[in-house]
Amino acid sequence: MARRLPPHAELDPSGIRTYPLAERPSKVHVGTLRPPYRPGGSFRAFVESLPSFLQAEDLRAVAEAVARAHREERVVLLGLGAHNIKVGLQPLYADLMARGLVSGVALNGAGIVHDLELALAGHTSEDVAAQLRQGRFGMARETGEWVSGVIRRARDRGVGLGFAVGEAIWEEGLPHREASLLAAAYRHGVTATVHVAVGTDIVHMHPGCDGAALGEASLRDFRRFAALVAELEGGVYLNVGSAVVLPEVFLKALTLARNLGREVAHFTTANLDFVRHYRPSVNVVGRPTGGGGRGYHLTGPHEILVPLLFGWVLELLED
């Protein structure tokens, strides 16, 4: 029978052992508190007013890592979920490319769809629930035909999918090509790769989609991405809004580089998303940096977090 106590038994604390507060290690000190932001101040003053704890401190650390990598001419690599395009961050990324701050950008397959539709039609992101009920979700003719055509040409020319899409958007003079992330990468000579999971993107439903061409072009992009990861020593990899595909691609690219004898141990990673997911936690923040690097979680909406991070990077580079 399990041991029982009387119904009203209490533990008497009168004999506890105490010690002076001055002897106790503490995590918070008055010297770490920062004065609040004052109206009319600069962006630098705002960032410096952020408390020096937790996510604010991690934000500073990641910004400093990016700025340091840029100064030392190391790789700064971005893995971007398609949500980045849908919340209007491509002008910021294009500006970073123009400044020479970004070595490469990796997208998942949905990134092509939204990037192309913005450049071609000036709008993207359909109402999935409404369209799904009618069997119309993903059935825009121009999107399926244009993307499928570029995929076939990429295979035939022996180029990667990211390069082919960016080149086509710019060189074909699409009406809103200035809004394209991949066109910006093409213009500024930044490596752009696209990593497709077959069956995940609307163009895969269209009859013109060539699976062999899709696989070949995307595999070529994986090897281009792996070439950048192989140079990541001392650099930074940011996974922004990809919960599954790009964390898996990053882990395999890193494994390939190390297997071929490349020294990739001391670098910074960060996962930026509005919730924490398992695969970015282990495949971006945890496992890759276990040999001497450092990984961070920055949690918040992309449309706020990414401009805040890179605004601070630009301020640091002004010093």
Side-chain angles (χ1 to χ4, degrees), residues 171-252:
E171 298 298 343
E172 292 179 16
L174 298 191
H176 307 281
R177 64 181 185 172
E178 296 284 353
S180 165
L181 176 67
L182 289 173
Y186 168 73
R187 290 165 54 205
H188 297 297
V190 172
T191 300
T193 59
V194 179
H195 307 271
V196 177
V198 176
T200 60
D201 307 321
I202 62 172
V203 295
H204 303 163
M205 300 185 291
H206 289 249
C209 184
D210 184 327
L214 179 68
E216 184 173 334
S218 192
L219 180 60
R220 187 174 292 114
D221 268 0
F222 169 72
R223 291 170 178 166
R224 295 174 70 216
F225 178 74
L228 279 170
V229 172
E231 302 295 327
L232 195 57
E233 181 73 11
V236 178
Y237 176 65
L238 304 179
N239 181 73
V240 189
S242 178
V244 178
V245 172
L246 294 180
E248 290 291 350
V249 170
F250 176 66
L251 196 70
K252 275 65 173 187

Side-chain angles (χ1 to χ4, degrees), residues 69-272:
H70 177 69
R71 291 193 190 101
E72 297 176 358
E73 299 184 350
R74 305 289 185 173
V75 167
V76 176
L77 188 54
L78 307 180
L80 307 177
H83 192 67
N84 286 268
I85 297 173
K86 296 200 289 183
V87 297
L89 287 172
Q90 59 274 36
L92 170 59
Y93 292 131
D95 179 68
L96 297 175
M97 293 179 204
R99 294 175 183 271
L101 268 166
V102 176
S103 309
V105 293
L107 302 177
N108 57 19
I112 300 177
V113 171
H114 298 298
D115 201 50
L116 171 274
E117 289 186 343
L118 276 178
L120 179 63
H123 58 82
T124 189
S125 192
E126 60 188 303
D127 185 337
V128 176
Q131 295 287 76
L132 186 62
R133 286 193 293 269
Q134 306 170 50
R136 290 167 56 89
F137 167 57
M139 295 302 173
R141 182 184 307 108
E142 295 89 342
T143 304
E145 291 178 353
W146 194 94
V147 173
S148 296
V150 172
I151 290 170
R152 291 192 298 271
R153 293 196 297 274
R155 185 268 313 274
D156 295 342
R157 295 171 56 204
V159 299
L161 188 50
F163 175 85
V165 173
E167 179 191 46
I169 288 174
W170 189 256
E171 298 298 343
E172 292 179 16
L174 298 191
H176 307 281
R177 64 181 185 172
E178 296 284 353
S180 165
L181 176 67
L182 289 173
Y186 168 73
R187 290 165 54 205
H188 297 297
V190 172
T191 300
T193 59
V194 179
H195 307 271
V196 177
V198 176
T200 60
D201 307 321
I202 62 172
V203 295
H204 303 163
M205 300 185 291
H206 289 249
C209 184
D210 184 327
L214 179 68
E216 184 173 334
S218 192
L219 180 60
R220 187 174 292 114
D221 268 0
F222 169 72
R223 291 170 178 166
R224 295 174 70 216
F225 178 74
L228 279 170
V229 172
E231 302 295 327
L232 195 57
E233 181 73 11
V236 178
Y237 176 65
L238 304 179
N239 181 73
V240 189
S242 178
V244 178
V245 172
L246 294 180
E248 290 291 350
V249 170
F250 176 66
L251 196 70
K252 275 65 173 187
L254 180 61
T255 299
L256 179 59
R258 287 175 173 172
N259 183 273
L260 292 172
R262 306 301 287 270
E263 179 67 25
V264 192
H266 303 89
F267 57 93
T268 300
T269 66
N271 181 58
L272 287 71

